């Protein structure tokens, strides 16, 4: 799992207005893609992750952050892969730029919904969690067991084992649950 994926799970996703700004075209100033409260949230996350307070997130910062969250045995290769996602040392501007680029790559809600609807032959708005788990772990960009656990921790199935994919798609694209 990359640093952006991990941080995205750590933070609430950016609201729709940031996504719209990101989709609006290339901006030379990454700070213009987000409003002040969003920048502050990213800054807080950055500060939490910058464990040694040197102004950069490196492998050791990531290791310490994972440890603080209870994940002790993170492989060096995994940490190196996360750090390599950045074009250079990860200061706050690079961190924010990586999120801006990530937002540009998010598929529209309708596209994600359509992908789930293929498996919802009865049109009920949910699919069996076990079925989705099997598909995620065996098709295309395969999820690991840990990634599936993280997804179900963030979006748990109901007592019958059903995953509400409409809400999941909304959160992925809007960054907040429907009321």
């Amino acid at each position: 799992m990359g640093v952006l994926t991990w941080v995205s799970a750590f933070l609430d996703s950016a609201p729709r207005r940031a996504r719209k700004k990101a989709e609006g075209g290339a901006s030379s100033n990454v700070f213009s893609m987000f409003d002040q409260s969003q920048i502050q949230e990213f800054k807080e996350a950055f500060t939490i992750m910058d464990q040694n307070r040197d102004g950069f997130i490196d492998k050791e910062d990531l290791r310490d952050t994972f440890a603080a969250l209870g994940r002790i045995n993170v492989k060096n290769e995994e940490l190196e892969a996360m750090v390599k996602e950045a074009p250079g040392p990860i200061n706050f501007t690079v961190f924010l730029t990586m999120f801006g680029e990530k937002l540009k790559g998010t598929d529209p809600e309708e596209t994600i919904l359509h992908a789930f609807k293929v498996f919802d032959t009865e049109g009920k708005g949910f699919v069996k969690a076990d079925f989705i788990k099997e598909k995620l772990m065996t098709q295309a960009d395969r999820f690991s067991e840990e990634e599936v656990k993280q997804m179900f921790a963030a979006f748990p199935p109901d007592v019958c084992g059903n995953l509400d994919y409409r809400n999941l798609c909304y959160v992925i694209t809007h960054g907040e649950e429907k009321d």
Side-chain angles (χ1 to χ4, degrees):
M1 173 179 15
V3 70
L4 291 179
T5 304
W6 184 81
V7 175
S8 292
F10 182 73
L11 285 174
D12 291 329
S13 298
R16 186 171 186 79
R17 64 183 174 276
R19 234 180 228 40
K20 284 183 177 175
K21 286 181 183 178
E23 291 165 355
S27 171
S28 60
N29 184 358
V30 68
F31 292 91
S32 68
M33 293 174 60
F34 304 101
D35 65 34
Q36 199 57 41
S37 65
Q38 292 168 312
I39 292 170
Q40 185 58 39
E41 284 182 48
F42 286 123
K43 185 66 174 173
E44 289 170 16
F46 180 87
T47 301
I48 290 168
M49 294 177 70
D50 181 17
Q51 296 279 309
N52 64 8
R53 304 293 185 252
D54 67 352
F56 295 91
I57 295 174
D58 58 21
K59 274 188 347 184
E60 290 309 311
D61 290 324
L62 292 174
R63 184 182 310 285
D64 292 344
T65 303
F66 274 118
L69 295 170
R71 188 167 168 213
I72 306 299
N73 298 322
V74 182
K75 295 179 180 169
N76 251 348
E77 298 79 31
E78 186 177 357
L79 296 171
E80 287 172 12
M82 288 179 174
V83 172
K84 284 182 182 176
E85 287 184 34
I90 306 172
N91 63 17
F92 181 65
T93 303
V94 170
F95 182 79
L96 198 59
T97 300
M98 291 170 70
F99 269 97
E101 290 170 356
K102 184 78 168 174
L103 290 173
K104 286 182 182 178
T106 303
D107 288 323
E109 182 178 8
E110 210 42 53
T111 301
I112 300 169
L113 273 172
H114 181 70
F116 277 105
K117 286 178 182 177
V118 169
F119 302 117
D120 181 14
T121 56
E122 297 177 22
K124 293 184 177 180
F126 60 83
V127 291
K128 289 290 183 187
D130 288 340
F131 176 77
I132 290 298
K133 177 182 177 179
E134 187 251 327
K135 293 298 177 198
L136 289 172
M137 293 180 72
T138 61
Q139 308 292 315
D141 291 335
R142 295 184 175 119
F143 277 46
S144 68
E145 183 75 31
E146 181 64 26
E147 289 170 321
V148 171
K149 283 181 186 176
Q150 288 175 355
M151 185 187 86
F152 286 142
F155 301 98
D158 66 18
V159 294
C160 298
N162 297 317
L163 179 66
D164 176 358
Y165 67 81
R166 290 179 185 153
N167 188 45
L168 173 63
C169 293
Y170 186 88
V171 172
I172 289 170
T173 57
H174 297 265
E176 52 211 29
E177 290 194 44
K178 290 182 182 179
D179 293 326

